[in-house]
Amino acid sequence: SITRTWTATDDCGNSATASQTIVVQDTTPPVITCPSGSPFTRTTDLNTCYYTVQDGEFNATASDSCPWGVTLTNSYNSSNTLSGAHLPSGVHNIIWTATDACGNVSTCTIEVTVSDNQQPAITCPVPAASYNTDLDECNATLSFAATATDNCGVSGIVYRVGTTVITFPYDFGVGSTAVTATATDVNGLASSCNFTVVVVDNQQPAITCPTPAASYNTDLDECNATLSFAATATDNCGVSGIVYRVGTTVITFPYDFGVGSTAVTATATDVNGLASSCDFTVL
């Protein structure tokens, strides 16, 4: 403000004074300029979940008509520069504000999108060469765990057999089962690995032979007795069949047993080729 004093004097030497105050106000906001190119896109730094702003990058400029200068700040770090700032993965709307000495304000806004382009690193487990079936079961109930790391964080690991999602413990059937483990990070990027589980059936079938009578008479007008017998068998994976032999000869029932003692061997074979035998004698 400026104060002026006016004095009036007449011819007789009489005088009077008056004061006048003039206030000069700056109402013109500063001129602010955001960097061109918004919206900007960047990718995260290697093995981090943020982008490091380069020297002078994304900074605004400002000028003002008054000689007392202008102050610049941004909404991200309340500083006059973004240089060296770590912008996490995601979308950032950053407001630049220019304020002159008289309190006049101007703003502009930039948008910076930081994208995560690093897939998670996943390591599959290494199963044993093979596993035996559980007792009296045709499968082995097993659990495995893959491990994963990611620059932004792993949201989870999913396991599949074919297209079917599985959880552990899981009943692995006899044979080879291929499992795919897929790790997904918090930004939806995924990586997969594979491992194979081999399950072996090591349980032979249980077979029970029939118990013939002490002896049988020959059939009328025959020198043999035509008889039938049946062994029974059970197995953890299932019995494929029972074969009967006299010596090395495969026989079927009914069978003509000659006079005297005939030793019969019954052999049960399961669906995986394992076999068990028992013997009975027909007299």
Side-chain angles (χ1 to χ4, degrees), residues 32-57:
I32 187 170
T33 303
C34 272
S36 61
S38 180
F40 301 96
T41 58
R42 298 292 186 269
T43 57
T44 53
D45 299 340
L46 182 64
N47 296 328
T48 71
C49 198
Y50 56 77
Y51 171 73
T52 303
V53 179
Q54 304 303 300
D55 188 27
E57 191 176 23

Side-chain angles (χ1 to χ4, degrees), residues 99-246:
T99 306
D100 67 15
C102 294
N104 297 304
V105 173
S106 294
T107 62
C108 64
T109 303
I110 62 171
E111 181 180 298
V112 183
T113 299
V114 179
S115 300
D116 174 20
N117 66 341
Q118 294 181 238
Q119 294 174 308
I122 186 170
T123 302
C124 269
V126 180
S130 64
Y131 300 87
N132 290 330
T133 53
D134 298 337
L135 183 62
D136 297 330
E137 299 288 338
C138 196
N139 56 259
T141 303
L142 303 168
S143 293
F144 299 94
T147 58
T149 58
D150 185 73
N151 59 315
C152 288
V154 176
S155 64
I157 300 177
V158 174
Y159 302 87
R160 289 180 174 84
V161 172
T163 58
T164 302
V165 175
I166 66 170
T167 57
F168 295 114
Y170 179 74
D171 294 337
F172 288 89
V174 173
S176 296
T177 301
V179 180
T180 299
T182 301
T184 304
D185 70 12
V186 294
N187 293 309
L189 299 174
S191 294
S192 298
C193 62
N194 301 282
F195 61 98
T196 299
V197 180
V198 177
V199 175
V200 176
D201 177 17
N202 67 334
Q203 300 177 59
Q204 294 174 308
I207 186 170
T208 301
C209 270
T211 302
S215 64
Y216 298 90
N217 293 326
T218 55
D219 296 338
L220 182 64
D221 298 328
E222 299 288 338
C223 194
N224 56 48
T226 302
L227 303 169
S228 293
F229 299 94
T232 58
T234 59
D235 185 75
N236 60 315
C237 288
V239 176
S240 64
I242 300 176
V243 173
Y244 302 88
R245 288 181 175 86
V246 173

